[in-house]
Amino acid sequence: MKILVVGSGGREHAIVWKLAQSPYVDEIFCAPGNGGISAIARCVPIKAMDIDGVVEFSKETGVDMVVVAPDDPLAAGMVDALEKEGIRAFGPRKDAAVIESSKSFAKWLMKKYGIPTAEYQVFDDSGKAIEYLRNKEYPIVIKADGLALGKGVIIAKSFVEACDAVNGMMQGKMFGSAGERIVIEEFLEGTEVSVLAFTDGKTVVPMVSVQDHKRAYDNDEGPNTGGMGTFSPSKVYTDEIARYCMKHIFMPTINAMYEEGRIFKGVIYFGLILTKDGPKVLEYNARFGDPEAQVVLPRLKTDLVEIFNAVIDERLETVKMDWDDRAAVCVIMASGGYPQEYRTGYLISGIREAEKDPDMIVFHAGTRFENGEFYTAGGRVLGVTALGDTLDDAIEKAYNGVEKIRFKDMYYRKDIGRK
Ligand code: AMP
Ligand code: GLY
């Protein structure tokens, strides 16, 4: 088989790495990919949002399956465009990807189908939003409706902060058109855990649980990022909670989408918070998380091509999924300044040395390969991942790997896995 993976980050590297282990695979392409991916796949200079380019390339090259990994091409209908040309594609169609690309849709769906989530209101008018905020309890959560690189959520501690957030999103356009409509919701307290699941629209198979670290600095300080590290499994996500979530959240969500005529096929990501009133949904994503994929896929023993085929053909119930019992940890090494301004183009050393340990994988998030060397090319640069018999083992190994790697102005959190 020839497979094309769309995207260019650490998540895509993890997907390509896992696909490359499949006996079904002859050749993998990645559009546009990155330096690390180019070692195991043929990178083609087509942007992830270039729907016509991806369709054209797939037809010309005779690609057997396209895996659409990032949120924006899914929301823009890349899967629909591929299917229209008879090309097999993994990922939800546009009408199902809306579960991530519109927070107001996701909230409406949960309310209609009784799926536990925070109380909320939707606003298209900033004056009405501010009126609503007057007599509320704080903190309160303000969310841009659309896609905002995982940064469109503001937790306001006071009325003044909440007004700033509303005005910033709706008038200041801090998240562009994503913030023209906003969701204001109740602040929930609890431990956050993420569960990704494969689904063919009828069957849901949850993957092993993950926790991430969204803030830039140790002890959850500093600005929000796309994610500075992950670990799997989560200690707080017990079998009992998993059973509750399957019954009250996972199946009801997939069934709700089916009822609405928006059959969801692909990976659905449940961002959960375990409150004193039980698990609730904070958000849905319509794809693998990044860097969640980097700890989940190394623990997957089952052939990923088999799973993707079963999802596309709507026979996921026929696949038996096996997981490695070991824990996995991914530490993101980032460019100094990320998530704000940062420089790129610095030489990276030590990757090969770090990878000498067979339980280590260095996933590339933002690198370029030139004349036999890797250079930094993004905010998140590497995701140094290790498997270990216990979480502590995995943490120790991952940081051993991190210590071997160097590039100018690099930074990383030192407390990944210690939540
Ligand atoms: P989201 O993109 O919706 O997952 O939000 C990003 C982060 O904001 C989450 O991971 C939480 O840490 C936080 N958050 C979102 N919604 C709430 C809420 N209702 N209560 C408390 N924290 C929240
Ligand atoms: N790491 C969170 C996400 O991929 O949305």
Side-chain angles (χ1 to χ4, degrees):
M1 274 177 84
K2 288 184 194 173
I3 302 188
L4 168 65
V5 176
V6 176
S8 63
R11 163 185 53 208
E12 288 74 15
H13 193 183
I15 293 170
V16 168
W17 170 86
K18 183 68 192 166
L19 290 173
Q21 297 166 13
S22 170
Y24 297 107
V25 172
D26 299 307
E27 196 168 12
I28 305 177
F29 301 91
C30 194
N34 65 38
I37 293 173
S38 70
I40 46 174
R42 189 124 73 81
C43 292
V44 289
I46 302 170
K47 293 209 173 78
M49 273 302 272
D50 183 357
I51 294 181
D52 292 342
V54 165
V55 170
E56 216 36 54
F57 175 84
S58 304
K59 280 204 295 200
E60 276 170 16
T61 316
V63 163
D64 300 292
M65 182 195 291
V66 181
V67 180
V68 184
D71 51 2
D72 31 0
L74 288 168
M78 185 177 277
V79 168
D80 311 54
L82 288 160
E83 285 180 344
K84 211 168 124 213
E85 295 294 329
I87 301 159
R88 287 166 70 79
F90 179 84
R93 294 180 193 138
K94 183 177 180 167
D95 67 0
V98 71
I99 202 165
E100 171 172 9
S101 60
S102 168
K103 291 198 193 285
S104 57
F105 170 82
K107 297 298 290 190
W108 170 84
L109 187 83
M110 287 187 269
K111 190 164 193 177
K112 179 168 173 188
Y113 291 90
I115 297 162
T117 188
E119 288 300 323
Y120 77 104
Q121 287 284 326
V122 178
F123 294 93
D124 293 300
D125 178 289
S126 61
K128 288 200 178 118
I130 284 167
E131 207 41 56
Y132 171 82
L133 285 166
R134 265 181 216 289
N135 301 311
K136 283 286 166 191
E137 279 181 38
Y138 288 85
I140 204 161
V141 185
I142 323 266
K143 299 184 173 184
D145 184 58
L147 296 176
L149 297 169
K151 293 169 195 154
V153 175
I154 293 177
I155 296 173
K157 291 187 208 70
S158 64
F159 176 64
V160 175
E161 272 186 39
C163 292
D164 283 349
V166 168
N167 288 328
M169 285 185 195
M170 301 188 89
Q171 259 120 35
K173 299 261 186 302
M174 61 198 285
F175 302 117
S177 61
E180 281 168 9
R181 167 177 287 180
I182 61 167
V183 172
I184 299 183
E185 70 177 35
E186 166 201 14
F187 177 79
L188 298 176
E189 269 177 282
T191 305
E192 284 180 48
V193 47
S194 300
V195 178
L196 287 65
F198 293 108
T199 177
D200 61 1
K202 294 175 301 224
T203 302
V204 186
V205 183
M207 302 181 218
V208 286
S209 60
V210 200
Q211 277 180 255
D212 73 347
H213 303 255
K214 282 205 170 85
R215 300 295 202 94
Y217 313 128
D218 285 10
N219 304 315
D220 287 335
E221 283 171 26
N224 262 320
T225 69
M228 291 300 291
T230 38
F231 63 98
S232 171
S234 156
K235 278 173 280 191
V236 295
Y237 191 73
T238 60
D239 289 348
E240 191 192 340
I241 294 176
R243 276 193 297 275
Y244 178 94
C245 291
M246 190 66 182
K247 184 163 172 215
H248 296 281
I249 296 175
F250 306 158
M251 278 316 298
T253 300
I254 293 310
N255 290 340
M257 292 297 277
Y258 193 92
E259 281 296 307
E260 294 298 321
R262 297 171 181 272
I263 298 174
F264 192 104
K265 291 166 66 173
V267 170
I268 183 161
Y269 172 129
F270 299 92
L272 307 171
I273 185 160
L274 310 182
T275 73
K276 62 174 176 21
D277 304 318
K280 295 189 180 184
V281 178
L282 283 182
E283 65 159 346
Y284 293 115
N285 292 326
R287 53 177 172 82
F288 281 107
D290 184 346
E292 285 80 353
Q294 290 91 312
V295 288
V296 169
L297 291 175
R299 296 189 59 204
L300 178 64
K301 290 197 199 161
T302 311
D303 189 321
L304 191 57
V305 176
E306 244 172 68
I307 298 173
F308 284 175
N309 270 327
V311 166
I312 294 171
D313 297 331
E314 299 180 20
R315 50 172 180 79
L316 188 58
E317 80 283 357
T318 63
V319 178
K320 189 182 166 303
M321 242 171 274
D322 286 319
W323 296 94
D324 193 326
D325 286 332
R326 289 177 298 168
V329 170
C330 172
V331 178
I332 297 292
M333 300 185 75
S335 298
Y338 173 80
Q340 282 104 26
E341 301 274 292
Y342 56 83
R343 292 181 138 191
T344 60
Y346 297 129
L347 179 69
I348 309 170
S349 66
I351 294 177
R352 288 177 194 91
E353 212 191 325
E355 282 187 325
K356 274 189 188 143
D357 181 339
D359 292 336
M360 295 275 321
I361 318 145
V362 179
F363 291 119
H364 294 231
T367 69
R368 186 163 55 76
F369 186 68
E370 216 178 276
N371 300 324
E373 303 283 359
F374 291 111
Y375 296 87
T376 67
R380 292 189 290 180
V381 177
L382 300 171
V384 180
T385 303
L387 288 160
D389 290 335
T390 63
L391 181 60
D392 283 336
D393 283 343
I395 294 171
E396 196 186 321
K397 276 196 214 169
Y399 281 103
N400 279 341
V402 165
E403 274 163 24
K404 298 193 172 93
I405 297 172
R406 289 274 174 282
F407 55 89
K408 191 168 185 293
D409 295 343
M410 65 182 202
Y411 89 95
Y412 55 88
R413 279 182 61 158
K414 302 194 175 52
D415 61 350
I416 302 302
R418 301 263 178 235
K419 253 189 195 178

